[in-house]
Amino acid sequence: MNTNPSSAPSDSTPPPAAGPIRWRGVLSAALAATAAILAVAWFLMSVTPPSVDDDRLVYELVDIHGKRVAPDAEGFAGEVLLVDIWGLWCPPCIQQIPYLIDLQERFGRHGFEIVGVEFAAYFGDEREEYTDALRTWAEEKGINYTIVQGGETGDVNAVFPTLRDFSGFPTSLLIERAGRVRLVSAGFAPSEIARFENLIKTLLTEKAPKT
């Protein structure tokens, strides 16, 4: 699923190994390469597409700036949401980011929000330092949507308990204003963006539920 787009909205090069991320040196690079290989293997071995119990994605998180992130949280309740499950170590995830920035820029003012939940290949007992580095990286890349550090790659099912048959990174979920999951997409290709955009436009025309 590692597709190189011929033209992206902005720079889509992988993140530099800067700040606290550099502390692992060669070991960090080896872990990242291994994780990327495993991600591809998960996709190849998966025979059941991801799904969500009762079409409701359940999560309770805090973003890299300390803000609560949940389906009923301020700024997210009643909005059209795109929840992106990704990792800094994952090349297709990085390639997807410029397109997500573009979607947030164009549709954010109309009630659309992206939540990117990042899962690290490994950070051991240095999660705080890793999150600091992630925050710095996101600011340098000009990411204009919510970023959450969700844990390590093995934590996905614990963070999203109603997500079933998770098969790899990135996995993106489009959620209507009423909270029902309308699309689950595993992997990334630039051609998928048009499908996301069309569905986002449709969902934005739907009225938010009364509170």
Side-chain angles (χ1 to χ4, degrees):
M1 301 258 178
N2 186 359
T3 303
N4 276 320
S6 57
S7 61
S10 61
D11 175 38
S12 58
T13 55
I21 294 180
R22 194 182 325 176
W23 33 256
R24 294 292 172 184
V26 175
L27 176 59
S28 179
L31 286 167
T34 301
I37 293 170
L38 287 173
V40 173
W42 289 339
F43 278 116
L44 293 177
M45 292 187 296
S46 177
V47 295
T48 304
S51 62
V52 180
D53 289 349
D54 297 323
D55 293 329
R56 299 282 174 172
L57 190 66
V58 174
Y59 54 95
E60 181 73 37
L61 300 164
V62 176
D63 74 8
I64 56 176
H65 300 291
K67 180 182 177 180
R68 179 173 177 258
V69 179
D72 64 343
E74 182 180 357
F76 302 100
E79 303 287 85
V80 174
L81 301 178
L82 192 163
V83 176
D84 182 49
I85 301 172
W86 68 290
L88 274 173
W89 50 268
C90 163
C93 301
I94 300 303
Q95 291 167 2
Q96 185 181 30
I97 286 175
Y99 296 93
L100 298 181
I101 290 173
D102 183 58
L103 289 175
Q104 183 65 53
E105 175 67 26
R106 289 191 289 131
F107 296 114
R109 66 180 66 91
H110 304 295
F112 171 71
E113 293 291 336
I114 296 175
V115 177
V117 185
E118 195 272 343
F119 290 89
Y122 176 78
F123 50 61
D125 60 355
E126 298 182 352
R127 180 170 185 173
E128 184 176 347
E129 291 82 355
Y130 182 92
T131 301
D132 288 343
L134 176 62
R135 180 170 54 251
T136 298
W137 179 85
E139 291 171 353
E140 290 175 350
K141 287 294 181 180
I143 293 179
N144 57 352
Y145 54 87
T146 299
I147 295 290
V148 173
Q149 207 304 303
E152 295 180 352
T153 53
D155 298 325
V156 173
N157 289 330
V159 172
F160 298 105
T162 59
L163 179 62
R164 300 291 178 233
D165 300 309
F166 176 76
S167 55
F169 299 82
T171 292
S172 301
L173 303 96
L174 262 176
I175 305 172
E176 65 181 24
R177 294 183 188 274
R180 187 164 62 94
V181 175
R182 296 283 287 269
L183 175 68
V184 182
S185 177
F188 169 69
S191 58
E192 286 291 289
I193 295 299
R195 181 165 67 130
F196 274 94
E197 183 172 335
N198 290 335
L199 184 52
I200 289 167
K201 289 177 179 177
T202 297
L203 296 181
L204 287 173
T205 64
E206 299 176 358
K207 294 181 178 181
K210 294 181 179 180
T211 57

